[in-house]
Amino acid sequence: MEKYITLTRTIDAPVARVWQAWVDKHQLQQWWAPNGFTNPVCEVDAKVGGELHIVMQAGDGMGPMSGMKAPMKGVFTEVIEYKKLVFTNVALDESDNHLLEGVTTVTFEEMGDQTKLTVHTGAAGTAPGVEQMLGGMEQGWNEQLDKLSASFGR
């Protein structure tokens, strides 16, 4: 099973600041993940061949999901500063088995003091539970991009 989505946001911040939010692990850690999740592990090395490793964890109040961990990793395959990031994305179980695999492309377009951000991402997999994971992909990405936009405080 596979799914692909494209999401666009106009963010009220210059390209350089939005770019930093993607390549600085401390900033990325603040917004990456859907609502109710934190990122106890967030490593990013935004260069070709550099790795991305994030572990999202459901917080208290998330019912049966409370404390659940959702690790992911990837490798950057294209990095054009202030313009484009392309990385593989692999959703893992807690034993590092691959559940979903895909590619994410993020483009940054300067629009005066704003940035047009476009995320095209997809994933495919055959592991048990993949349908549910893919079913929540668009909502999860929308929630984390909303958190990214809100992090600029305007």
Side-chain angles (χ1 to χ4, degrees), residues 83-85 105-109 115-120:
K83 298 282 184 195
K84 187 177 190 181
L85 291 170
T105 300
V106 184
T107 57
F108 304 78
E109 184 181 333
T115 302
K116 180 180 177 185
L117 180 79
T118 303
V119 175
H120 179 75

Side-chain angles (χ1 to χ4, degrees), residues 21 49 90 92 102 124 150:
V90 180
L92 306 165

